[in-house]
Amino acid sequence: FVAAVTDMDENGIFQIPYCQMFEKEDLACAETVILEINPRYRRVRGGVEIPIERVSCCYVAETPLMLLPRTEPSPIDETIGDYIAGMIHDGDCFQLGIGGLPDAIARHLFDKNDMGIHTEMISSTMADLIEHGNITGRHKNIDVGEHIFTFVLGDEHLHNVVSDVAACRIAPASYVNDPFVIAQNDNMISVNTALEIDLTGQICSESIGPLQWSGTGGAADFAYGALHSKGGHGIIAFSSTTKGGTISRIKPILTPGAAVSISRNLADTIVTEYGVAEMRGRSVKERAEQLISIAHPDFRAELRIEAKKLGYI
């Protein structure tokens, strides 16, 4: 087992501060433990602790933190962010994914109060909301008053916040991503993005056809958890077309070979810059109509023709 850790404390304990995907479980089965001590690392409450007795060997490497610079949201991101911010209310618990779009959503939440977070990734804009007092966690059903996350990815300010704010706690993915844990928080709002969606609501967020583009991540976990949360919503948000504007992300059927990251049975609320489509409790015909209405106008006629050929409408 090899890990980057903080300096050893006065009790002979090292800590893995910024990620708890599988580290705790891997460490438990390891015979050899090699640690890279990074003096720039700071402790985070809940981080995996490793006593010196478990360490086979260690060395010091003062490498820079792995940072994700802030990106400026596009006008489309801002439009979508405004839609979604209207679905998040005072006291709600939420989760955001990665990228300019989630950052745009968070930037629209500074007028909300007493929100909570239960999220796989904690981001720079979430740190801003914590410092600003918008996120308190006081209305959460579990982990009340705590800001729960599994890994840290953002700027240096985010790393300082997760270390300095006592309410921040990193927890294992086996807990944070457990759909039955997620669902225990009332009014759980999960926001993730996707690469494409078909007219029945099948969502692909990890491949372009058969080409694996990203990991599966926790999208399905949070979609299930939010759908089963009292008052919760699982939101999938994306621009209606690819960056060049030549390909619609809403398609009659998924690109052959595309992975179904979230099944249509878990599809809930879909958002593009052209509006909001509700999937929950809708027939295939209603889903197709809803999705066509939020597709880019240049592709709506074609989508309608294809939907008729497929017998959807």
Side-chain angles (χ1 to χ4, degrees):
F1 176 82
V2 183
V5 296
T6 63
D7 275 328
M8 183 174 69
D9 68 11
E10 65 275 10
N11 298 312
I13 304 293
F14 300 93
Q15 191 198 70
I16 304 171
Y18 303 125
C19 187
Q20 267 210 61
M21 296 302 292
F22 315 106
E23 287 78 359
K24 189 174 182 179
E25 293 83 354
D26 288 347
L27 175 65
C29 5
E31 295 182 5
T32 302
V33 177
I34 302 170
L35 300 184
E36 178 178 287
I37 302 167
N38 191 334
R40 300 189 185 195
Y41 278 19
R42 298 179 59 197
R43 290 172 185 265
V44 176
R45 191 164 70 92
V48 174
E49 297 189 336
I50 306 174
I52 186 65
E53 293 80 13
R54 285 282 282 121
V55 180
S56 306
C57 65
C58 59
Y59 60 94
V60 176
E62 190 168 349
T63 56
L65 294 171
M66 188 181 79
L67 303 178
L68 181 69
R70 296 181 188 234
T71 57
E72 190 64 27
S74 70
I76 289 176
D77 291 338
E78 291 288 359
T79 299
I80 296 172
D82 193 40
Y83 277 129
I84 294 174
M87 303 177 198
I88 300 176
H89 306 99
D90 291 354
D92 286 356
C93 186
F94 70 94
Q95 173 265 343
L96 297 176
I98 187 171
L101 176 53
D103 284 349
I105 295 165
R107 285 168 51 163
H108 285 81
L109 297 178
F110 284 95
D111 61 343
K112 312 292 182 181
N113 300 300
D114 291 327
M115 295 179 295
I117 56 173
H118 182 103
T119 183
E120 184 177 28
M121 183 188 86
I122 188 168
S123 66
S124 301
T125 44
M126 286 183 181
D128 296 341
L129 289 164
I130 290 170
E131 278 203 322
H132 197 257
N134 306 94
I135 294 173
T136 64
R138 69 179 60 180
H139 295 298
K140 293 172 71 176
N141 299 78
I142 57 173
D143 306 313
V144 179
E146 293 187 307
H147 317 319
I148 303 298
F149 53 94
T150 287
F151 70 91
V152 180
L153 188 57
D155 60 13
E156 192 164 358
H157 173 252
L158 167 64
H159 285 76
N160 291 334
V161 167
V162 296
S163 293
D164 293 338
V165 176
C168 291
R169 178 163 67 87
I170 193 167
S174 57
Y175 174 78
V176 176
N177 282 37
D178 185 334
F180 298 100
V181 171
I182 296 165
Q184 289 179 51
N185 277 308
D186 292 349
N187 305 306
M188 179 72 207
I189 310 297
S190 168
V191 185
N192 283 302
T193 190
L195 294 172
E196 61 181 50
I197 183 172
D198 74 12
L199 291 177
T200 72
Q202 293 190 113
I203 298 162
C204 171
S205 61
E206 61 192 278
S207 73
I208 299 174
L211 175 65
Q212 195 72 35
W213 191 253
S214 69
T216 303
D221 299 328
F222 278 88
Y224 187 100
L227 192 68
H228 290 80
S229 158
K230 182 180 178 181
H233 286 283
I235 300 170
I236 298 296
F238 51 86
S239 59
S240 63
T241 63
T242 56
K243 286 186 178 179
T246 57
I247 300 173
S248 175
R249 294 186 188 274
I250 297 174
K251 302 191 173 186
I253 61 173
L254 294 181
T255 302
V260 178
S261 308
I262 300 175
S263 83
R264 65 184 189 175
N265 302 311
L266 297 180
D268 189 0
T269 302
I270 313 299
V271 182
T272 74
E273 71 271 30
Y274 292 103
V276 179
E278 297 293 350
M279 301 286 103
R280 191 187 300 200
R282 303 286 177 123
S283 67
V284 170
K285 178 181 178 180
E286 291 169 331
R287 287 172 174 231
E289 294 281 9
Q290 287 270 305
L291 289 167
I292 291 169
S293 74
I294 65 166
H296 192 285
D298 290 351
F299 295 96
R300 290 178 191 172
E302 180 184 346
L303 285 169
R304 185 167 294 280
I305 290 168
E306 293 300 318
K308 288 179 179 178
K309 287 181 182 178
L310 291 165
Y312 293 162
I313 59 176

